[in-house]
Amino acid sequence: MINEENYTGRILNFKELMDEYEVQIPIIQRDYAQGRKSQKEVRDNFLGALHNCLKESSPIKLDFIYGSIIDEKFQPLDGQQRLTTLFLLHWYAATKEGKMSNSDVKTILNRFTYETRISSREFCQALVHESISEISPEHKLSESIIDKNWFFLSWTKDPTIDAMLRTINAIHEKFYEIDNLWDKLSSNLIQFYFVELENMGLTDDLYIKMNARGKLLTPFENFKAGFQKRIDEETWEEGIDVKEHFGVKIDNDWTDFFWDHFRKGDTIDDAQTRLTSTIAMIMQSVERINSTESRVDLINQLQEEPSQVRPIHFTKRGFDYLLSTFNTYNEKVVLSNYINDRLLFPMWRHTPKSSFLSMIVYEDNSTSTIQRDSATYTQKVLFFAESVFYKKNDQANRETYEDWMRVVRNIISRADIDKDGSRPDIVRSPQSFDGIINLINELSDGCQSIYQFLAKEPNLKSQYAKDQINEEIVKAKLINHNSSFKEVIFKAEDNELLRGKISFLFHCIDYDFEPTNFNIELFEAVSGVINKYFDNEKSLNNEIRRAMLTIEVEGIYEFYSYWWSYWHIGQSTKRRLFDRFREIEYCINHDHYREYFKHFTLKLLDKSPSQIACEFVAPEPFPNWKLRLIKENNLLDQFNKTNHIAIAEDNTHCYILKSKRPREIEGNVKIM
């Protein structure tokens, strides 16, 4: 006969449970997960609720904690995570307030133990019996504990102990300020419903089955259940044919689609989670309902851990976009060769292995050692551009699609290039992601015919990537003026050095931005020079360096002045002769140094770099060391291993440096 009291549950606090039973986390249970790095949101939310309860004296009742009584020990089936966190919070309170010397307190805490691993059990015992002497605000408690002689370093490899230490740190950050913490915890402010499974008629076999099911429950299964509840509560599917409902589609058509194309092992949950999380990130920036700070925080959180996506992150509009995205790609794959289709122009480092969708749901993040299960911000931007195009263009042709994606590519290919040749992506932070998604969402109003749209100079609210948008408008006006310009402009954009940004070419031909005055022949010739001599990372060579030394701007022959550092040993100024290919990109986009490269490019219309150097006649005065570098090929070919020189203060000589930061004068070739 079932005991009615135990069936409905008793209301207890942690201390009352420990007074009645020894709590033993059984071997069959998983490790303590609430303290994992990936569970920060869950941990912060739970501790936040407890903190608010204690600080405001506002009682809280936690969910059911149930399990079996075996040998007078309570073994929880559900509630392990909450009980472990409560144990750590009680330990913290007793330690902070000096109550660990009280035998009754120690007895209570010592009745909590882990059987999942011997090390976990021993750590819990040592934490109570040995503890730490005191707690101060500036302490990082995990370090204090690890430093104790009773702590075995091998324990750090135990995932439960590692998670416990992380939770202890989080507890310290939140609860240090609360006075009389132990007494408040001992009151009835924090309670839970306690149920013994035996009194519910449950067998050990069912215990094992339920626990196994709990361990197999994936984040996406949890998300689906919660999302369906939100959909029902908000009546988002009212009036929609049941066959088109989220629950039906996600378990049938969409599952088949993902299973056929994006399965890893025997699961598709990660793929579905990554797509759902990406849509949640995108819609934050599209809808812009929340504050900038809130949007950026959530975008960052979901970028680092896609499994943290929650139903609350979606509005009705976001839900509709998610459904249309699932449906669209399912249809695209069924109706076409989408997965293996390729754009006919380069995407450079953002080129997907197969499709933009595959980047989001399937491919590893090759640019990060941390976010392996999350596509890059840039990849998600490209996916959004494609998905919004499909959403707005049911019957669009291939050319229209490629025109749109080309403009987007040009925008995202911009970079914060510096004089050292470093070229970090422009979209590499939650703030920049938020900005560019907003921009592309505005531009998508014209994605059906992007060049016609841009040629009308649309009034865009977004100020993101303003320079590149202005350039796209210039190109759109040219293409609309004469469609034959399109192929020439596209070829120029696809150059490895320029990567979609061709303002330097306009500068070279002195274009006044009036389409009727556009010199297509000169533009094509200048573009041809760039493609011939600066087509890839291996284009940079000593012939170009020697030729560049002959180029002057307003009588000054110092293209290398874009970079400098003082060499104290040689009492001279260090300069770089284009050490990296991307330094050229820096120079052509810098107002002053682009003039050197403009003059050089125009000379290359008629002569090769070696001819420019060979035919150079030095003016008076001109440093002899520089003339020798130009005329004597062997000086750079034989000695220039670092592409760094150091020029004397009186300009009478230079050193070809043997290393980038030589510590002695010997070994550096002096040229006079």
Side-chain angles (χ1 to χ4, degrees), residues 336-343 354-355 398:
S336 69
N337 193 32
Y338 169 80
I339 291 295
N340 298 312
D341 217 353
R342 293 287 191 279
L343 288 171
S354 55
S355 64
R398 181 72 181 184

Side-chain angles (χ1 to χ4, degrees), residues 399-520:
E399 183 180 6
T400 303
Y401 165 71
E402 292 210 349
D403 285 351
W404 164 247
M405 292 305 296
R406 174 179 282 276
V407 169
V408 173
R409 178 208 67 174
N410 293 346
I411 296 169
I412 62 98
S413 294
R414 293 171 63 250
D416 290 329
I417 187 77
D418 65 29
K419 61 186 178 182
D420 289 323
S422 175
R423 197 182 196 277
D425 289 346
I426 196 70
V427 189
R428 62 182 186 278
S429 70
Q431 292 86 354
S432 58
F433 177 86
D434 184 52
I436 199 167
I437 290 291
N438 182 44
L439 168 63
I440 290 175
N441 186 53
E442 278 197 87
L443 288 175
S444 70
D445 288 342
C447 65
Q448 298 93 333
S449 182
I450 188 60
Y451 290 118
Q452 287 185 22
F453 178 77
L454 288 171
K456 295 176 182 178
E457 298 191 45
N459 183 23
L460 302 174
K461 294 179 182 178
S462 173
Q463 297 299 303
Y464 192 86
K466 193 67 176 177
D467 290 346
Q468 190 62 37
I469 291 298
N470 289 337
E471 180 180 306
E472 296 305 316
I473 290 173
V474 170
K475 290 183 283 193
K477 288 182 176 181
L478 285 169
I479 290 169
N480 277 359
H481 173 72
N482 188 330
S483 60
S484 68
F485 292 171
K486 189 175 187 179
E487 183 180 353
V488 178
I489 289 173
F490 283 4
K491 185 176 181 180
E493 287 181 338
D494 293 344
N495 175 265
E496 171 66 25
L497 175 65
L498 303 179
R499 290 192 177 185
K501 183 176 182 179
I502 61 173
S503 58
F504 174 69
L505 303 186
F506 292 143
H507 178 66
C508 284
I509 67 171
D510 297 320
Y511 179 46
D512 64 1
F513 306 112
E514 173 53 54
T516 57
N517 296 332
F518 184 62
N519 188 335
I520 184 64

Side-chain angles (χ1 to χ4, degrees), residues 91-93 95-97 132-137 139 141 172 176:
W91 169 85
Y92 175 80
T95 304
K96 182 171 83 80
E97 296 173 359
I132 55 178
S133 57
E134 61 180 18
I135 293 176
S136 60
H139 278 174
L141 295 193
H172 182 45
Y176 182 80

Side-chain angles (χ1 to χ4, degrees), residues 272-287:
Q272 292 178 316
T273 296
R274 288 173 63 163
L275 177 57
T276 305
S277 175
T278 297
I279 297 297
M281 291 170 64
I282 287 168
M283 294 310 293
Q284 282 291 310
S285 299
V286 168
E287 296 184 84

Side-chain angles (χ1 to χ4, degrees), residues 136-145 169 172:
S136 60
E138 67 276 7
H139 278 174
K140 187 171 184 180
L141 295 193
S142 61
E143 295 178 356
S144 299
I145 292 170
N169 286 337
H172 182 45

Side-chain angles (χ1 to χ4, degrees), residues 302-315:
L302 295 180
Q303 175 66 15
E304 292 184 355
E305 185 51 65
S307 66
Q308 295 301 310
V309 65
R310 298 291 181 265
I312 195 65
H313 297 154
F314 286 86
T315 63

Side-chain angles (χ1 to χ4, degrees), residues 582-599:
R582 287 291 155 198
E583 292 171 38
I584 298 175
E585 184 182 3
Y586 171 81
C587 288
I588 65 176
N589 290 302
H590 189 286
D591 285 343
H592 177 68
Y593 301 113
R594 73 189 315 190
E595 295 303 317
Y596 281 98
F597 220 81
K598 174 184 178 180
H599 292 183

